[in-house]
Amino acid sequence: MYTREEALGLLKEHTSSESLIKHAYAVEAAMRGYAKKYDEDVELWGLTGLLHDLDYEKHPDEHPMIGVRILKEADYPMELVDAVEGHGKPDALRETQLAKALFAVDELASFIVAYVLVRPDKSFEGIKTKSIKKKLKDKAFARGVDRELVKLGAEQLGVDLTDHINLISDALYQWEEELNTHGESLV
């Protein structure tokens, strides 16, 4: 199994955009949160989130298939590779909890980070789920986030949207604290 440092090196080999790297961190955080909830391998789930978009910057039209090839060549676990492949297609058959979770957190993790960026203190502390749900209804806010995919992801994972938002918000808050100890941030 690869370490986070090795996976981060692979991500940065293919991604230079700071916003895409921060998105990868956010999805990593959410995946770690769900791994803890389901008593799964936190490192595997975190790496899945970290690497899910490694091909997006250079190959957006072929995403996620170039990334799938890169991950296979690097000998990452097939469960991780399959989840990465399934997250990029709304109609894909996602059979594992890992794949379902990745699809479910991808859009919403970005949305919550966007929400934090417009807060005066740009902090994850004290985020209100009610406020995030209200912002989800505002189509002008974070237009790039597909609200239907947020709902579909929660449904396929079998979680209530409020609980889903709570778990991801908490995971982002905790991961932000961890990243800050290394001079990094989600925002």
Side-chain angles (χ1 to χ4, degrees):
M1 180 61 140
Y2 289 93
T3 65
R4 182 181 187 276
E5 291 74 29
E6 291 166 329
L8 186 57
L10 181 63
L11 173 66
K12 289 183 175 182
E13 180 182 324
H14 296 276
T15 306
S16 60
S17 163
E18 184 178 344
S19 64
L20 281 175
I21 290 171
K22 287 183 181 220
H23 169 68
Y25 290 169
V27 175
E28 174 188 21
M31 291 298 291
R32 294 173 73 82
Y34 266 107
K36 290 174 188 170
K37 174 185 170 82
Y38 294 133
D39 197 27
E40 294 286 349
D41 182 337
V42 174
E43 295 308 313
L44 173 66
W45 283 50
L47 293 181
T48 303
L50 185 65
L51 294 170
H52 80 286
D53 278 347
L54 88 143
D55 64 345
Y56 189 78
E57 182 176 359
K58 294 179 182 174
H59 307 282
D61 295 334
E62 298 167 90
H63 171 71
M65 298 314 297
I66 300 292
V68 165
R69 189 187 81 232
I70 293 166
L71 294 168
K72 282 181 180 177
E73 288 171 0
D75 204 29
Y76 274 86
M78 277 312 294
E79 186 180 14
L80 179 153
V81 174
D82 289 343
V84 169
E85 183 174 357
H87 96 277
K89 305 172 189 171
D91 58 347
L93 180 61
R94 286 172 278 281
E95 296 180 7
T96 65
Q97 280 294 96
L98 178 64
K100 290 174 185 176
L102 181 59
F103 179 72
V105 306
D106 191 16
E107 294 282 316
L108 189 54
S110 285
F111 187 87
I112 294 171
V113 170
Y115 171 78
V116 166
L117 284 168
V118 299
R119 294 183 78 197
D121 63 358
K122 293 187 180 6
S123 170
F124 289 91
E125 190 170 357
I127 292 176
K128 303 274 190 268
T129 299
K130 180 176 156 183
S131 299
I132 293 171
K133 287 178 92 171
K134 184 177 178 182
K135 279 288 190 191
L136 276 168
K137 292 177 184 173
D138 179 359
K139 302 293 186 213
F141 180 77
R143 289 186 186 143
V145 174
D146 187 327
R147 274 70 167 166
E148 292 306 310
L149 291 182
V150 169
K151 291 176 189 169
L152 179 64
E155 287 170 13
Q156 288 184 359
L157 191 55
V159 295
D160 172 76
L161 184 59
T162 299
D163 294 339
H164 190 45
I165 292 168
N166 283 334
L167 187 142
I168 294 174
S169 296
D170 288 346
L172 291 169
Y173 174 71
Q174 291 171 18
W175 198 238
E176 177 68 359
E177 288 186 335
E178 174 67 23
L179 287 173
N180 288 173
T181 66
H182 303 288
E184 296 182 274
S185 176
L186 294 166
V187 294

